[in-house]
Amino acid sequence: MKRMEREIKTVRIMIGMYCRDRHGGKVLCESCRDLASYAEQRILKCPFGEDKPVCSQCRIHCYKPQMR
């Protein structure tokens, strides 16, 4: 599995866990779906491509401050 695919899968799992804990649904609520979509877009558009670092350690911040 490519690094970006693995990172997208990891983010989806983390958002799913958060949504179930906070919002109680078995499927993602609308706001969590929007967040997952936004995160996937940011990962796919990373200027480093497959050589991207972990976002928390990156010198470029692709995410809006409220979405980090």
Side-chain angles (χ1 to χ4, degrees):
M1 181 180 299
K2 293 181 180 180
R3 179 181 179 90
M4 293 173 90
E5 291 172 354
R6 187 176 68 240
E7 190 164 339
I8 289 169
K9 182 179 177 181
T10 300
V11 168
R12 286 181 183 160
I13 290 168
M14 291 171 59
I15 292 171
M17 290 168 53
Y18 174 86
C19 189
R20 278 189 301 280
D21 184 55
R22 301 289 182 173
H23 306 133
K26 293 187 180 201
V27 296
L28 292 180
C29 68
E30 184 177 351
S31 65
C32 289
R33 278 193 311 270
D34 291 345
L35 176 60
S37 176
Y38 177 79
E40 183 174 340
Q41 291 172 23
R42 298 288 71 194
I43 292 167
L44 292 173
K45 291 183 180 184
C46 177
F48 296 106
E50 285 295 327
D51 296 326
K52 72 181 287 321
V54 177
C55 293
S56 63
Q57 297 177 357
C58 187
R59 58 185 166 87
I60 299 173
H61 294 292
C62 300
Y63 290 81
K64 296 175 187 175
Q66 69 269 20
M67 300 296 259
R68 290 185 195 163

